[in-house]
mmCIF file of all heavy atoms in Angstrom:
data_model
loop_
_atom_site.group_PDB
_atom_site.id
_atom_site.type_symbol
_atom_site.label_atom_id
_atom_site.label_comp_id
_atom_site.label_asym_id
_atom_site.label_seq_id
_atom_site.Cartn_x
_atom_site.Cartn_y
_atom_site.Cartn_z
ATOM 1 N N VAL V 267 0.813 12.119 -22.337
ATOM 2 C CA VAL V 267 0.671 12.497 -20.937
ATOM 3 C C VAL V 267 0.996 11.281 -20.077
ATOM 4 O O VAL V 267 0.993 10.139 -20.571
ATOM 5 C CB VAL V 267 -0.774 13.007 -20.670
ATOM 6 C CG1 VAL V 267 -1.765 11.858 -20.673
ATOM 7 C CG2 VAL V 267 -0.860 13.794 -19.383
ATOM 8 N N GLU V 268 1.266 11.508 -18.811
ATOM 9 C CA GLU V 268 1.579 10.413 -17.882
ATOM 10 C C GLU V 268 0.489 10.377 -16.815
ATOM 11 O O GLU V 268 0.256 11.363 -16.123
ATOM 12 C CB GLU V 268 2.961 10.646 -17.259
ATOM 13 C CG GLU V 268 3.560 9.422 -16.580
ATOM 14 C CD GLU V 268 2.924 9.156 -15.223
ATOM 15 O OE1 GLU V 268 3.007 10.041 -14.342
ATOM 16 O OE2 GLU V 268 2.328 8.069 -15.055
ATOM 17 N N LEU V 269 -0.205 9.252 -16.672
ATOM 18 C CA LEU V 269 -1.426 9.202 -15.879
ATOM 19 C C LEU V 269 -1.221 9.083 -14.373
ATOM 20 O O LEU V 269 -2.089 9.505 -13.612
ATOM 21 C CB LEU V 269 -2.313 8.045 -16.359
ATOM 22 C CG LEU V 269 -2.844 8.135 -17.781
ATOM 23 C CD1 LEU V 269 -3.771 6.957 -18.065
ATOM 24 C CD2 LEU V 269 -3.575 9.457 -18.015
ATOM 25 N N GLN V 510 -3.963 5.416 -25.840
ATOM 26 C CA GLN V 510 -3.312 4.123 -25.813
ATOM 27 C C GLN V 510 -1.974 4.246 -25.108
ATOM 28 O O GLN V 510 -1.432 5.352 -24.977
ATOM 29 C CB GLN V 510 -3.115 3.572 -27.230
ATOM 30 C CG GLN V 510 -2.201 4.418 -28.100
ATOM 31 C CD GLN V 510 -2.135 3.888 -29.530
ATOM 32 O OE1 GLN V 510 -3.104 3.344 -30.050
ATOM 33 N NE2 GLN V 510 -0.986 4.047 -30.158
ATOM 34 N N LEU V 511 -1.467 3.127 -24.633
ATOM 35 C CA LEU V 511 -0.183 3.136 -23.945
ATOM 36 C C LEU V 511 0.920 3.552 -24.904
ATOM 37 O O LEU V 511 0.884 3.248 -26.101
ATOM 38 C CB LEU V 511 0.123 1.749 -23.377
ATOM 39 C CG LEU V 511 -0.760 1.279 -22.209
ATOM 40 C CD1 LEU V 511 -0.477 -0.189 -21.896
ATOM 41 C CD2 LEU V 511 -0.515 2.137 -20.975
ATOM 42 N N ARG V 512 1.905 4.239 -24.344
ATOM 43 C CA ARG V 512 3.049 4.692 -25.147
ATOM 44 C C ARG V 512 4.309 4.022 -24.622
ATOM 45 O O ARG V 512 4.622 4.092 -23.434
ATOM 46 C CB ARG V 512 3.177 6.218 -25.042
ATOM 47 C CG ARG V 512 4.367 6.812 -25.786
ATOM 48 C CD ARG V 512 4.289 8.329 -25.802
ATOM 49 N NE ARG V 512 4.200 8.879 -24.468
ATOM 50 C CZ ARG V 512 5.258 9.172 -23.689
ATOM 51 N NH1 ARG V 512 6.475 8.935 -24.140
ATOM 52 N NH2 ARG V 512 5.076 9.692 -22.499
ATOM 53 N N GLY V 513 5.029 3.351 -25.506
ATOM 54 C CA GLY V 513 6.283 2.729 -25.104
ATOM 55 C C GLY V 513 6.107 1.316 -24.587
ATOM 56 O O GLY V 513 5.041 0.701 -24.677
ATOM 57 N N ASP V 514 7.195 0.799 -24.031
ATOM 58 C CA ASP V 514 7.222 -0.568 -23.541
ATOM 59 C C ASP V 514 6.613 -0.656 -22.146
ATOM 60 O O ASP V 514 6.130 0.333 -21.596
ATOM 61 C CB ASP V 514 8.672 -1.075 -23.506
ATOM 62 C CG ASP V 514 9.306 -1.079 -24.891
ATOM 63 O OD1 ASP V 514 8.570 -1.335 -25.858
ATOM 64 O OD2 ASP V 514 10.524 -0.825 -24.990
ATOM 65 N N PRO V 516 6.034 -0.352 -18.502
ATOM 66 C CA PRO V 516 6.617 0.648 -17.606
ATOM 67 C C PRO V 516 7.334 0.001 -16.427
ATOM 68 O O PRO V 516 7.139 -1.188 -16.134
ATOM 69 C CB PRO V 516 5.396 1.433 -17.123
ATOM 70 C CG PRO V 516 4.274 0.447 -17.192
ATOM 71 C CD PRO V 516 4.567 -0.410 -18.396
ATOM 72 N N THR V 529 4.779 4.503 -13.567
ATOM 73 C CA THR V 529 4.308 5.494 -14.536
ATOM 74 C C THR V 529 3.377 4.806 -15.526
ATOM 75 O O THR V 529 3.462 3.590 -15.745
ATOM 76 C CB THR V 529 5.467 6.142 -15.325
ATOM 77 O OG1 THR V 529 6.176 5.121 -16.033
ATOM 78 C CG2 THR V 529 6.421 6.881 -14.386
ATOM 79 N N ILE V 530 2.481 5.609 -16.127
ATOM 80 C CA ILE V 530 1.609 5.106 -17.202
ATOM 81 C C ILE V 530 1.635 6.152 -18.330
ATOM 82 O O ILE V 530 0.750 7.017 -18.407
ATOM 83 C CB ILE V 530 0.172 4.878 -16.722
ATOM 84 C CG1 ILE V 530 0.139 3.989 -15.484
ATOM 85 C CG2 ILE V 530 -0.660 4.231 -17.852
ATOM 86 C CD1 ILE V 530 -1.248 3.831 -14.894
ATOM 87 N N PRO V 531 2.632 6.114 -19.194
ATOM 88 C CA PRO V 531 2.685 7.064 -20.310
ATOM 89 C C PRO V 531 1.677 6.671 -21.379
ATOM 90 O O PRO V 531 1.606 5.510 -21.796
ATOM 91 C CB PRO V 531 4.119 6.937 -20.810
ATOM 92 C CG PRO V 531 4.560 5.568 -20.404
ATOM 93 C CD PRO V 531 3.815 5.220 -19.160
ATOM 94 N N VAL V 532 0.882 7.638 -21.832
ATOM 95 C CA VAL V 532 -0.122 7.370 -22.866
ATOM 96 C C VAL V 532 -0.048 8.440 -23.952
ATOM 97 O O VAL V 532 0.550 9.503 -23.759
ATOM 98 C CB VAL V 532 -1.546 7.318 -22.287
ATOM 99 C CG1 VAL V 532 -1.670 6.207 -21.258
ATOM 100 C CG2 VAL V 532 -1.943 8.671 -21.674
ATOM 101 N N MET V 533 -0.674 8.153 -25.052
ATOM 102 C CA MET V 533 -0.750 9.111 -26.178
ATOM 103 C C MET V 533 -2.115 8.970 -26.814
ATOM 104 O O MET V 533 -2.888 8.061 -26.510
ATOM 105 C CB MET V 533 0.354 8.838 -27.178
ATOM 106 C CG MET V 533 0.291 7.459 -27.807
ATOM 107 S SD MET V 533 1.713 7.160 -28.903
ATOM 108 C CE MET V 533 1.364 5.485 -29.452
#
Side-chain angles (χ1 to χ4, degrees):
V267 73
E268 196 283 300
L269 296 183
Q510 63 185 33
L511 291 171
R512 178 171 56 87
D514 299 326
T529 60
I530 307 175
V532 299
M533 61 184 179

